[in-house]
Amino acid sequence: MSMKLCIIGSGYVGLVSGACFADVGHQVICVDNNQRKVEMLLRGEIPIYEPGLEELVLKNVAAKRLRFTTSTEEGVDGADVVFIAVPTPPQPDGSVDLSYIEQVAREIAAVLKKDQYRVIVDKSTVPVKTGEKVADTIRRYSKPGVVFDVVSNPEFLREGCAVPDLMKPDRIVIGGNSERAVAMMQKIYEPFMAPVLVTDVNSAELIKHAANSFLALKISYINAVARICEASGADVEKVADGIGMDRRIGRNFLNAGIGYGGSCFPKDIAAFIAISDHLGEPFHLLKEVQRINAQQRERFIDRLRDKLWVLRDKRVAVWGLTFKPDTDDVRSSVAIDVVRDLIAEKALVTVFDPKGMEKAVEFKLIEGAHLATSALDAVKDADALVIATEWKEFSAVDFSRVKELMHTPLIFDGRNLLEPAMVRALGFDYTSIGRA
Ligand code: UGA
């Protein structure tokens, strides 16, 4: 059954969710207070790069199931369910800045009408107990007689495969304390034919932070194992395969590298630490996860410095700027940190990324770096090549050509993208993570 949905916030989560909800037949209106963004969307331009998203948006706009507006009133007025999908950025102490959520809750409260039942859904990643605060805020700022329920429905999509993640999720979590609201949410998700877990609001909120923290824990675990592999001559890829074949563990998220980044893991782990501290149950294990993650990059730069001896004035080519492949997102990217570390040591850095150059330049994240036009262009006369993001197209580059173009054939592979035997056979001095 088609439902009328309003999504407030047209970032990764809001826009992809809106497009997917429309695609399964719901009537969706996306609200964003950024006029430029809404104008772009109305012109059919997609402000982010996400495989499959553009087609999905255009198709559903043409079918009149997906609309865009800057007006919260217009969005909320005709909707059965209102999703909040605005940013929840970190504060300097790691805790979450909830001011956008509070602002939206107040805007919704101002336009809710008497006797028109509405479900307000929190889709943004928020600390446990935020649902209670949203409900209190709406109650305080709305007219008497307004009826609503607040639901938590965390989103588990990954950037780069957001559309398939949303269309075919492992699970849908609906946290609600009212049967009426939960039943409406179940209807929305019926067409997705995915397992649904119904919980109370607090548990749903916790599931999101606990899930991201566990995934980050897996990454730091394998990175710690990688160090032992380096010290003992073992191969971390083989070790990950061996432990990952145990279905209780699983092979996913056991790829060693220079650490996790992006707009979610660093922020969410810091937030979960802050939340647990606040609740009087400090989560020390997660502090170690953070420590191992930060050290991965430092150790990588140390090894590069050891090899090149002095980094100053050395020509270093860096392939990769985005926090992972198949996205143009450079927020909290370890690759960017590597570039900045090298520039800080006065190395002459040339960068190339298939999708991340524009945003890295726009946000002034790589000032002082030279911009190459291709992967091969970047390695001309380089003393070393650093692979910082595992774009598939990098492994398809002609490495005999790379060797001819480089000044000295040194590769530092921070993502274990290349086959050691292949590059060594070509005469490269090759260093990767946790592999001899
Ligand atoms: C992550 C979660 O995977 C999603 O389920 C969640 O919905 C999302 O955060 C969110 O909270 O919104 P995302 O940040 O898009 O998704 O990217 P991931 O694919 O999880 O990668 C995060 C980082 O971990 C990347 O820097 C990646 O390079 C790194 N990583 C991942 C590793 O270093 N090793 C691995 O084995 C896997």
Side-chain angles (χ1 to χ4, degrees):
M1 195 186 83
S2 164
M3 295 186 69
K4 295 193 178 97
L5 312 179
C6 165
I7 320 254
I8 302 184
S10 299
Y12 270 99
V13 170
L15 186 58
V16 182
S17 307
C20 291
F21 285 145
D23 204 54
V24 298
H26 298 304
Q27 286 295 324
V28 179
I29 181 159
C30 290
V31 181
D32 202 288
N33 63 4
N34 182 335
Q35 181 129 15
R36 217 186 105 227
K37 197 188 257 184
V38 172
E39 280 165 5
M40 274 179 85
L41 287 163
L42 288 170
R43 285 197 302 268
E45 294 167 25
I46 312 301
I48 49 171
Y49 171 73
E50 189 60 49
L53 182 60
E54 185 170 358
E55 297 88 301
L56 206 67
V57 169
L58 298 180
K59 173 183 156 198
N60 285 286
V61 168
K64 299 204 178 334
R65 286 190 296 262
L66 183 60
R67 292 183 296 140
F68 301 98
T69 179
T70 51
S71 159
T72 306
E73 180 159 21
E74 185 190 346
V76 173
D77 207 31
D80 307 308
V81 178
V82 180
F83 289 81
I84 305 177
V86 294
T88 49
Q91 309 201 86
D93 68 350
S95 66
V96 181
D97 175 359
L98 292 168
S99 55
Y100 297 107
I101 300 264
E102 195 247 12
Q103 176 67 26
V104 168
R106 285 168 55 171
E107 282 169 21
I108 294 171
V111 297
L112 284 181
K113 295 196 176 117
K114 203 171 156 239
D115 299 328
Q116 278 184 353
Y117 178 69
R118 292 279 181 276
V119 178
I120 314 297
V121 184
D122 196 352
K123 219 173 203 342
S124 307
T125 301
V126 292
V128 61
K129 291 165 118 40
T130 299
E132 289 172 12
K133 295 260 192 289
V134 168
D136 286 348
T137 304
I138 296 179
R139 220 169 282 125
R140 197 171 315 131
Y141 289 96
S142 58
K143 299 169 201 75
V146 158
V147 263
F148 70 94
D149 279 307
V150 171
V151 164
S152 164
N153 171 221
E155 184 46 62
F156 301 101
L157 62 80
R158 288 163 300 170
E159 289 183 20
C161 42
V163 173
D165 275 359
L166 217 138
M167 288 306 228
K168 288 201 178 313
D170 285 353
R171 80 309 205 178
I172 288 154
V173 174
I174 299 173
N177 303 339
S178 126
E179 273 179 31
R180 185 179 181 187
V182 169
M184 283 172 74
M185 293 298 292
Q186 281 170 321
K187 261 196 203 121
I188 295 175
Y189 280 108
E190 230 165 49
F192 293 87
M193 291 186 295
V196 173
L197 177 73
V198 176
T199 70
D200 58 284
V201 176
N202 289 351
S203 301
E205 290 169 340
L206 257 182
I207 285 169
K208 174 68 196 216
H209 273 126
N212 273 3
S213 298
F214 191 81
L215 292 168
L217 174 84
K218 261 188 118 174
I219 299 169
S220 280
Y221 182 85
I222 201 65
N223 281 333
V225 171
R227 296 178 193 175
I228 298 167
C229 290
E230 280 161 21
S232 62
D235 181 332
V236 73
E237 301 290 324
K238 297 278 180 321
V239 175
D241 288 345
I243 59 178
M245 283 166 83
D246 184 330
R247 269 175 296 179
R248 292 170 302 174
I249 298 173
R251 181 62 175 81
N252 290 335
F253 280 70
L254 285 180
N255 295 322
I258 45 178
Y260 61 78
S263 62
C264 302
F265 283 178
K267 161 179 95 92
D268 288 353
I269 282 67
F272 207 25
I273 290 171
I275 293 162
S276 55
D277 280 347
H278 179 73
L279 293 170
E281 293 295 342
F283 208 149
H284 299 297
L285 180 62
L286 292 185
K287 292 188 183 160
E288 187 59 18
V289 167
Q290 281 182 322
R291 204 172 65 89
I292 293 170
N293 197 55
Q295 285 171 344
Q296 280 307 100
R297 185 184 101 236
E298 289 158 17
R299 288 168 58 98
F300 185 71
I301 300 281
D302 287 348
R303 290 169 78 193
L304 180 62
R305 197 187 299 104
D306 274 355
K307 191 68 91 174
L308 291 176
W309 191 19
V310 173
L311 284 174
R312 190 187 187 100
D313 293 337
K314 290 279 159 54
R315 293 187 181 279
V316 182
V318 179
W319 284 358
L321 291 172
T322 53
F323 82 101
K324 65 175 192 178
D326 296 322
T327 175
D328 63 351
D329 197 344
V330 289
R331 288 175 294 171
S332 301
S333 168
V334 182
I336 297 272
D337 291 337
V338 166
V339 170
R340 293 168 75 100
D341 287 347
L342 294 172
I343 291 172
E345 297 212 28
K346 307 269 190 293
L348 306 171
V349 182
T350 302
V351 298
F352 177 72
D353 187 283
K355 290 268 186 269
M357 306 282 270
E358 210 174 296
K359 286 199 170 152
V361 171
E362 183 187 335
F363 302 144
K364 299 192 182 358
L365 298 175
I366 48 167
E367 290 198 320
H370 303 273
L371 308 180
T373 53
S374 68
L376 280 179
D377 182 35
V379 297
K380 277 182 201 147
D381 294 327
D383 295 295
L385 163 63
V386 166
I387 301 176
T389 312
E390 67 278 32
W391 284 93
K392 251 206 198 102
E393 62 182 83
F394 293 157
S395 52
V397 170
D398 175 359
F399 277 87
S400 16
R401 189 77 193 113
V402 172
K403 180 143 180 281
E404 285 165 15
L405 289 170
M406 288 181 76
H407 187 238
T408 46
L410 228 69
I411 298 181
F412 270 75
D413 183 353
R415 295 290 176 190
N416 290 355
L417 178 71
L418 306 179
E419 222 12 86
M422 181 276 285
V423 267
R424 286 192 183 124
L426 289 172
F428 282 98
D429 180 334
Y430 177 72
T431 305
S432 57
I433 310 287
R435 302 191 294 183

